[in-house]
């Protein structure tokens, strides 16, 4: 599948935390989001860059709201439901809400059962009504 013309080439993305922060700081919101999807694709690889990217994502997951949001955005590239499930327990309501939205994209049926269990009752009832 060809890379969209507005997506940053993944080979240009840095795979150290400090360099990634510097790279993202000069991008607008939409550019940061596209870059994190590309970063997630790097993390999915099995080479040294992939390993380094996974380590950076692990560090981002431990950071503040902004860093945790960036790490969650990378799920579009990694297709990692495990991270979505972790984000369901995030202290930030906004991160949890984004994780709920990502769950149907990346989680299988068993994982979705876990997502439903982690959701607040009001949201769970609403989600089940929409799916019916």
């Amino acid at each position: 599948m060809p890379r969209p013309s507005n997506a940053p080439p993944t080979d240009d993305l840095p795979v150290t935390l400090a360099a990634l922060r510097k790279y993202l700081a000069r991008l607008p919101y939409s550019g940061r989001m596209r870059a994190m999807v590309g970063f997630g694709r790097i993390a999915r690889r099995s080479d040294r860059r992939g390993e380094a990217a996974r380590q950076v994502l692990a560090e981002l997951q431990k950071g503040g709201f902004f860093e945790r949001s960036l790490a969650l955005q990378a799920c579009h590239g990694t297709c990692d439901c495990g991270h979505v499930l972790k984000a369901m327990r995030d202290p930030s309501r906004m991160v949890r809400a984004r994780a709920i939205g990502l769950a149907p994209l990346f989680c299988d049926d068993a994982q979705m059962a876990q997502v439903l269990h982690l959701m607040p009752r009001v949201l769970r009832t609403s989600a089940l009504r929409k799916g019916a």
Side-chain angles (χ1 to χ4, degrees):
M1 173 179 231
R3 181 178 51 83
S5 61
N6 61 352
T10 55
D11 291 337
D12 293 349
L13 290 170
V15 290
T16 64
L17 186 55
L20 181 65
R21 283 182 176 145
K22 186 176 180 181
Y23 178 84
L24 294 174
R26 61 177 207 240
L27 296 175
Y29 176 82
S30 60
R32 285 192 302 270
M33 297 301 103
R34 282 192 302 271
M36 288 311 298
V37 172
F39 195 80
R41 289 183 184 127
I42 293 172
R44 201 169 48 190
R45 296 175 7 185
S46 60
D47 60 4
R48 274 190 237 140
R49 279 180 57 81
E51 177 60 33
R54 286 188 294 278
Q55 290 175 359
V56 170
L57 285 176
E59 288 298 313
L60 288 172
Q61 291 173 15
K62 298 175 191 171
F65 167 77
F66 180 70
E67 289 83 10
R68 294 189 318 269
S69 295
L70 290 174
L72 188 57
Q73 179 66 21
C75 286
H76 286 283
T78 62
C79 302
D80 180 15
C81 182
H83 184 184
V84 172
L85 290 171
K86 287 179 194 172
M88 293 288 300
R89 294 180 180 95
D90 195 90
S92 167
R93 186 181 324 165
M94 290 179 69
V95 172
R96 290 190 310 266
R98 289 194 61 219
I100 289 169
L102 292 176
L105 300 175
F106 306 118
C107 298
D108 61 26
D109 289 345
Q111 293 165 326
M112 281 303 296
Q114 291 177 346
V115 168
L116 288 170
H117 179 72
L118 292 169
M119 288 173 74
R121 180 172 291 175
V122 173
L123 293 177
R124 188 180 329 143
T125 304
S126 174
L128 290 173
R129 283 187 185 138
K130 285 181 185 176

